[in-house]
Amino acid sequence: MIPMGTINWLFVCGLAFCMGGVVVLSFMPLSSDCICPLSRGRTKASSELNKVPVGVQESAPKSIHKLAVLVPFRDRFEELLQFVPHMTKFLQRQGIEHKIFLLNQIDRYRFNRASLINVGFRFTSEVYDYIAMHDVDLLPINDALIYKYPSDAGPHHIAAPELHPKYHYETFVGGILLVRCEHFEQVNGMSNKYWGWGLEDDEFYVRIRDAGLRVTRPENIKTGVNDTFTHIHNRYHRKRDTQKCYNQKEITRKRDRQTGLNTLKYKISKIQEMSIDGISITVLNILLECDLADTPWCDCSGNAAVASAVST
Ligand code: UDP
Ligand code: MN
């Protein structure tokens, strides 16, 4: 028999333990408020963000590898409204387990597609097996373009030069590129020096080649440059930012051996789930940091710092 005093003591301890639990729980941040990368550990938790993928069609064979569709983005809302339902149906038909991540650049520097992809990779790579670096305005319309996990050889270039509506040179790897996470890590991701339009994908090609990886491309495609993709890009309405300032031209012509995943500097100010036609995508609001001494061409106008400070 347990003496009465001991029972009281056990009761008090039990109560204290429960209260402690309540206090600890109430101070734990809600997982969806956490501005931190997805992790395998959190996959099983109830977090919305970790609720990996989007339904795969009943009939399609289910993929074992998970794809993070990384979409570098700024001010392309019309294109996004078309992209999300189109890509979701396209990938569902192939049974690709995937989720779309919108990498929304909200700082006042010039657009930096490569750094945004680096951020998207950092955010998703623990939970996903491969990434699609995917322009928001390039929609595949031939179901023979297969988005499956790339082979050991290296990245798989969906927007091949013989299929892309605009870019036809052999070393082109832009538009849509599938990369295994281990390969992206191996090449130190993409260069962070490319602010404004162009060349970041060509520099990435050299990284791939120097690492001994090989780019594969779709085979036996019966369509060509006019009917494989829809490129929702009006060059007057969506003007490319081709300005060059400071020594941008000289530096960005060269292979960058300094920057990449290891030097990436950014903040994610907000993570939100957004639903388009009932499809849930994850939006990351990203503030890239620019070292003005290193890449002054992130801000040709000299106004970026002022513009971020003043809100009227
Ligand atoms: N992009 C964006 N906002 C911009 C510039 C580019 O969202 O102001 C993204 C968008 O995903 C776009 C991609 O970067 O599809 C590539 O840019 P763009 O379409 O201008 O280049 P293209 O390959 O068509 O020459
Ligand atoms: Mn485009």
Side-chain angles (χ1 to χ4, degrees), residues 101-282:
F101 293 86
L102 195 74
L103 312 171
N104 186 31
Q105 185 177 344
I106 63 162
D107 54 72
R108 294 290 163 252
Y109 297 117
R110 296 170 74 199
F111 191 68
N112 189 329
R113 179 174 175 271
S115 291
L116 291 172
I117 292 169
N118 283 343
V119 175
F121 176 81
R122 276 271 176 262
F123 189 77
T124 57
S125 65
E126 262 227 43
V127 169
Y128 291 81
D129 304 296
Y130 64 124
I131 58 169
M133 299 157 42
H134 213 304
D135 284 3
V136 74
D137 63 6
L138 197 62
L139 310 180
I141 51 174
N142 181 340
D143 281 325
L145 299 171
I146 305 298
Y147 278 61
K148 70 175 175 21
Y149 189 59
S151 70
D152 294 343
H156 185 66
H157 189 215
I158 298 277
E162 65 274 17
L163 305 172
H164 192 282
K166 190 170 162 67
Y167 302 112
H168 305 131
Y169 53 96
E170 179 46 36
T171 57
F172 176 62
V173 288
I176 308 165
L177 185 69
L178 308 183
V179 190
R180 282 191 188 195
C181 288
E182 77 238 37
H183 289 158
F184 197 79
E185 193 89 57
Q186 185 185 339
V187 302
N188 191 23
M190 300 187 80
S191 166
N192 297 309
K193 293 190 176 180
Y194 292 82
W195 304 89
W197 178 85
L199 293 182
E200 80 295 340
D201 44 1
D202 295 340
E203 203 277 344
F204 191 63
Y205 172 79
V206 184
R207 291 183 180 223
I208 296 167
R209 195 199 57 195
D210 287 357
L213 299 172
R214 194 165 56 82
V215 176
T216 62
R217 299 238 169 79
E219 284 171 12
N220 302 320
I221 301 296
K222 304 279 185 286
T223 51
V225 295
N226 297 319
D227 51 358
T228 309
F229 299 95
T230 304
H231 191 193
I232 344 162
H233 190 137
N234 177 315
R235 66 196 170 105
Y236 302 106
H237 181 49
R238 297 299 193 210
K239 246 174 133 4
R240 297 180 172 97
D241 170 13
T242 54
Q243 189 181 6
K244 301 277 181 263
C245 64
Y246 300 95
N247 53 343
Q248 177 176 9
K249 208 170 190 168
E250 181 200 330
I251 302 290
T252 55
R253 270 194 297 116
K254 295 186 206 140
R255 160 84 152 91
D256 168 17
R257 294 182 190 280
Q258 289 98 42
T259 80
L261 286 172
N262 63 335
T263 60
L264 182 67
K265 290 216 174 77
Y266 66 99
K267 286 193 186 67
I268 298 178
S269 69
K270 188 130 188 126
I271 305 170
Q272 269 172 307
E273 289 295 293
M274 181 164 91
S275 170
I276 297 175
D277 286 359
I279 301 153
S280 178
I281 70 165
T282 301

Side-chain angles (χ1 to χ4, degrees), residues 14-179:
L15 196 66
F17 182 76
C18 285
M19 295 283 285
V22 169
V23 172
V24 169
L25 277 178
S26 60
F27 278 98
M28 268 192 335
L30 284 176
S31 45
S32 58
D33 289 341
C34 176
I35 310 279
C36 47
L38 301 181
S39 66
R40 296 255 180 215
R42 292 171 66 219
T43 316
K44 293 200 180 72
S46 60
S47 162
E48 265 305 304
L49 292 174
N50 271 314
K51 241 188 233 161
V52 180
V54 170
V56 166
Q57 253 182 11
E58 289 293 316
S59 53
K62 205 165 179 292
S63 56
I64 43 167
H65 293 111
K66 289 192 276 248
L67 169 67
V69 179
L70 304 182
V71 185
F73 185 86
R74 177 185 267 171
D75 298 336
R76 293 282 183 276
F77 199 63
E78 288 159 63
E79 290 87 334
L80 181 70
L81 294 181
Q82 232 178 300
F83 178 83
V84 171
H86 179 92
M87 285 314 301
T88 304
K89 284 184 216 132
F90 191 89
L91 294 173
Q92 279 180 346
R93 283 198 292 277
Q94 299 182 12
I96 305 289
E97 207 172 325
H98 70 282
K99 175 127 199 208
I100 296 171
F101 293 86
L102 195 74
L103 312 171
N104 186 31
Q105 185 177 344
I106 63 162
D107 54 72
R108 294 290 163 252
Y109 297 117
R110 296 170 74 199
F111 191 68
N112 189 329
R113 179 174 175 271
S115 291
L116 291 172
I117 292 169
N118 283 343
V119 175
F121 176 81
R122 276 271 176 262
F123 189 77
T124 57
S125 65
E126 262 227 43
V127 169
Y128 291 81
D129 304 296
Y130 64 124
I131 58 169
M133 299 157 42
H134 213 304
D135 284 3
V136 74
D137 63 6
L138 197 62
L139 310 180
I141 51 174
N142 181 340
D143 281 325
L145 299 171
I146 305 298
Y147 278 61
K148 70 175 175 21
Y149 189 59
S151 70
D152 294 343
H156 185 66
H157 189 215
I158 298 277
E162 65 274 17
L163 305 172
H164 192 282
K166 190 170 162 67
Y167 302 112
H168 305 131
Y169 53 96
E170 179 46 36
T171 57
F172 176 62
V173 288
I176 308 165
L177 185 69
L178 308 183
V179 190

